[in-house]
Amino acid sequence: MPRRRRLYILIAIIIAFAVYYLNGSVHTSEREGLSRSSSWQEPPYKTPIPEKYYGTANSTQRASAVIVILARNRELREVLASMARFERRFNRNYGYPYVFLNEVLFTDEFKEQVSTATSAQVQFGLIPHEHWFQPSWIDESKASAARQAMGPLFYGHSVSYRNMCRFQSGFFFRHPLLQQYKYYWRVEPDVQFYCDIEFDPFLFMEGEDKKYAFTVALPENEKTIKGLWPAVLEFKETYPHLISPDNAFSMLVDRQRDTYNGCHFWSNFEIASFDLWRSDAYLKFFDFMDSKGGFYYSRWGDAILHTFGAALFLRKDQIHFFNEIGYRHVPITHCPSGPSHSRGRCECNVTDSFDRHSWSCLDKYDGLFIPDGSSP
């Protein structure tokens, strides 16, 4: 693809993303656009990575973990770009295996080029039909009407995007190739890793009893989550015994309006325990939410389902913010701040980090750990 055309496509993506959020994203009172917040303060990052997890690259210590990439054959170039960055910054020193998933068979070209991009083990899996495509019980006329109404929004018309969201919400962890592993790192095509990662995030998660980790938290467009909040409240009332004590649910509540504030962990980056999604609590939650049809009658995303799953079924201290991992998914950047910025070599500017924007939900996460239990 000519360089100029790639530049035009990138600009179009950034504009579309901005329009997507500015066109009705959560409550106007809770965001001020993407400008840096004048009242922003350095977050307290209460769980720095202990020294014992650094310097393990040359040891035999490894967690039962895998890198998971959902990709299509046409995304080969973008996949190779992500792998080159990921290998350079982390995996060439740790050798964690990859599992690639697709709803159709991967081509020989895709498999050959991906396999030569790493010295780690690589496996390619086909997603079962029933885990990907719109289920037969969905009322297509109702779903079609919803797509037409949401057309101007990002992926508003897309059935395949909705299929992906549903798959990532309730099925990816059931794939046979992933059953042997306890932890995973989700990597997407054409993402950037800005810093050398000189510790093992999987060993940290395992050793410190962390179950879900993120780098970016932001508000969802309220037009894409019609009916979600009432369904979550109904689930809580129906299954109160499944909710974890000392959970993180309060970070998702707008106290003034007594409703969902739209905040969620951006799931294109996540490191998590498979045990969370395979738990009886989360499986019941997914089945309950799926039965509402919101993936197709609205456009519920997997980030929302994962966020509520983590917030409801984990203790708040089991959710971790990886300040140390520099990351970018167009158009949002997380760049480490504080001592973590200089610990590993980084190629990003901390002042450009989304953490510093008034639109970030990181303050809601930090608010979980304020002694009096109030949010900032």
Side-chain angles (χ1 to χ4, degrees):
M1 182 184 296
R3 183 175 299 176
R4 181 174 294 180
R5 185 182 175 191
R6 290 201 300 270
L7 177 61
Y8 289 159
I9 291 174
L10 177 60
I11 292 172
I13 290 173
I14 294 173
I15 292 173
F17 191 93
V19 170
Y20 166 64
Y21 276 105
L22 292 174
N23 183 18
S25 178
V26 289
H27 311 304
T28 304
S29 62
E30 293 192 0
R31 59 163 172 79
E32 301 166 2
L34 286 175
S35 60
R36 188 179 307 139
S37 171
S38 59
S39 61
W40 190 91
Q41 296 180 356
E42 196 74 25
Y45 305 134
K46 294 180 173 56
T47 314
I49 305 299
E51 190 67 30
K52 63 182 177 180
Y53 298 111
Y54 284 87
T56 57
N58 297 320
S59 74
T60 57
Q61 288 181 282
R62 293 293 181 270
S64 174
V66 63
I67 315 305
V68 180
I69 301 181
L70 177 68
R72 289 175 166 160
N73 289 303
R74 65 174 181 264
E75 295 175 305
L76 175 58
R77 183 189 298 271
E78 292 84 358
V79 165
L80 292 175
S82 289
M83 290 184 69
R85 298 157 184 162
F86 185 72
E87 287 288 317
R88 174 193 169 200
R89 293 300 191 179
F90 173 72
N91 206 46
R92 67 178 178 179
N93 296 321
Y94 289 85
Y96 280 104
Y98 291 82
V99 166
F100 286 83
L101 300 176
N102 193 351
E103 80 270 22
V104 301
L105 291 173
F106 284 106
T107 63
D108 290 340
E109 178 190 13
F110 188 100
K111 291 190 288 187
E112 289 169 5
Q113 292 203 37
V114 163
S115 297
T116 59
T118 178
S119 60
Q121 177 190 16
V122 182
Q123 292 181 287
F124 301 91
L126 178 65
I127 298 170
H129 185 280
E130 64 273 18
H131 288 180
W132 184 265
F133 292 96
Q134 179 176 305
S136 60
W137 53 264
I138 290 292
D139 182 341
E140 173 53 24
S141 62
K142 182 178 178 180
S144 178
R147 295 195 301 273
Q148 291 300 314
M150 297 178 66
L153 298 178
F154 216 41
Y155 297 115
H157 279 132
S158 177
V159 176
S160 63
Y161 185 81
R162 289 169 168 81
N163 291 339
M164 180 276 293
C165 290
R166 182 172 179 264
F167 170 75
Q168 293 282 39
S169 296
F171 297 101
F172 84 96
F173 52 86
R174 310 183 203 220
H175 197 280
L177 292 180
L178 300 177
Q179 296 311 301
Q180 64 179 300
Y181 300 107
K182 295 182 179 179
Y183 297 89
Y184 71 93
W185 187 331
R186 176 170 163 179
V187 173
E188 300 220 340
D190 204 19
V191 294
Q192 178 66 267
F193 295 92
Y194 282 121
C195 308
D196 292 340
I197 304 168
E198 299 177 345
F199 64 96
D200 189 330
F202 294 122
L203 289 179
F204 167 77
M205 297 282 286
E206 184 176 57
E208 304 299 317
D209 193 28
K210 305 295 182 182
K211 301 295 185 182
Y212 188 89
F214 68 100
T215 56
V216 171
L218 75 167
E220 180 59 289
N221 188 323
E222 63 183 0
K223 295 180 180 179
T224 69
I225 51 175
K226 181 180 179 181
L228 183 136
W229 180 246
V232 170
L233 295 182
E234 183 182 353
F235 178 86
K236 285 189 67 194
E237 293 174 1
T238 305
Y239 300 100
H241 59 287
L242 297 179
I243 310 304
S244 173
D246 197 26
N247 59 67
F249 188 72
S250 63
M251 75 166 284
L252 306 178
V253 180
D254 180 337
R255 296 187 178 186
Q256 292 182 336
R257 298 167 55 131
D258 194 28
T259 188
Y260 176 38
N261 61 20
C263 287
H264 65 287
F265 305 126
W266 218 24
S267 62
N268 51 69
F269 173 104
E270 60 185 14
I271 302 176
S273 168
F274 280 118
D275 286 347
L276 170 58
W277 314 129
R278 294 168 181 161
S279 68
D280 181 62
Y282 183 78
L283 291 174
K284 278 188 169 60
F285 177 69
F286 172 75
D287 288 343
F288 184 90
M289 299 298 286
D290 190 35
S291 71
K292 303 296 184 180
F295 292 107
Y296 297 97
Y297 302 146
S298 183
R299 209 221 61 196
W300 297 356
D302 58 281
I304 294 287
L305 268 288
H306 283 197
T307 298
F308 275 102
L312 287 170
F313 309 124
L314 297 178
R315 301 189 314 270
K316 64 186 181 185
D317 66 292
Q318 291 178 306
I319 301 173
H320 182 73
F321 170 58
F322 267 127
N323 176 46
E324 297 80 2
I325 300 179
Y327 176 75
R328 178 173 175 80
H329 183 295
V330 174
I332 290 179
T333 294
H334 163 68
C335 188
S337 61
S340 296
H341 184 72
S342 57
R343 181 65 192 253
R345 187 168 64 89
C346 290
E347 297 176 352
C348 57
N349 190 332
V350 69
T351 61
D352 295 331
S353 184
F354 187 73
D355 307 353
R356 294 173 175 262
H357 292 188
S358 58
W359 211 355
S360 172
C361 289
L362 188 57
D363 62 334
K364 306 295 192 298
Y365 170 78
D366 290 332
L368 294 171
F369 303 100
I370 293 176
D372 66 2
S374 62
S375 295

